[in-house]
Amino acid sequence: MLLKYRSDYQKIAMGLLSLLPTFKDWDRLQRELTWYQSDDSRRLYLWKDDHDDFAGAVGTEIQGDYLIVRLVTLTPDQDLTENTWQMLDQLATALPDKRLMGTLTTAKIIAKWEYQHGQSHTQRSTTDSGQ
């Protein structure tokens, strides 16, 4: 289950984000959380696994018709492709009018997810090369 980040989840979010090499630095981690909170088009979601434990996070930004997936992280014991797919499925369901896109860091994950799901969430036009 995806939950929108709120301030009482700060320690949990910081722990999950610190699993990414980019956020090993405390100041960088704080700036990232502030960045997500500073604009309504940006959102950090925390993901709960089947045991109702926080086990992942996904950072997004809306740009026009696209939902840019900026980061994806899971705890080491939950770092499975199927869990990543669940998070992306839930994002696609929550924002069905937006097409999920990746950054340089997350593009490969999004492409694999789209391929796995037969691109059913994207309804690509025939002019879209998919690259």
Side-chain angles (χ1 to χ4, degrees), residues 34-119:
T34 301
W35 186 80
Y36 280 107
Q37 293 176 299
S38 67
D39 190 319
D40 288 339
S41 68
R42 303 177 196 138
R43 191 133 302 136
L44 182 66
Y45 295 92
L46 303 182
W47 181 73
K48 283 189 168 187
D49 64 14
D50 294 335
H51 303 288
D52 208 34
D53 295 324
F54 286 103
V58 60
T60 65
E61 180 179 13
I62 294 173
Q63 291 185 2
D65 292 335
Y66 299 98
L67 181 65
I68 309 299
V69 178
R70 301 185 58 84
L71 65 86
V72 176
T73 186
L74 288 160
T75 58
D77 63 322
Q78 294 293 326
D79 195 3
L80 304 168
T81 302
E82 66 188 58
N83 290 336
T84 301
W85 291 175
Q86 281 185 29
M87 287 194 299
L88 296 176
D89 286 343
Q90 291 171 16
L91 276 176
T93 300
L95 297 160
D97 60 328
K98 303 291 181 197
R99 176 172 173 210
L100 271 60
M101 296 290 292
T103 62
L104 290 174
T105 306
T106 62
K108 194 179 264 187
I109 295 166
I110 301 302
K112 287 179 182 179
W113 172 78
E114 282 185 332
Y115 180 78
Q116 177 70 23
H117 290 80
Q119 301 175 354

Side-chain angles (χ1 to χ4, degrees), residues 6-54:
R6 55 183 206 234
S7 59
D8 54 327
Y9 294 150
Q10 183 177 9
K11 288 182 182 179
I12 295 163
M14 291 175 74
L16 291 167
L17 292 181
S18 72
L19 296 170
L20 296 167
T22 308
F23 301 116
K24 296 294 182 193
D25 176 57
W26 175 264
D27 291 331
R28 171 95 165 113
L29 182 57
Q30 289 288 82
R31 283 193 309 270
E32 188 74 4
L33 284 176
T34 301
W35 186 80
Y36 280 107
Q37 293 176 299
S38 67
D39 190 319
D40 288 339
S41 68
R42 303 177 196 138
R43 191 133 302 136
L44 182 66
Y45 295 92
L46 303 182
W47 181 73
K48 283 189 168 187
D49 64 14
D50 294 335
H51 303 288
D52 208 34
D53 295 324
F54 286 103

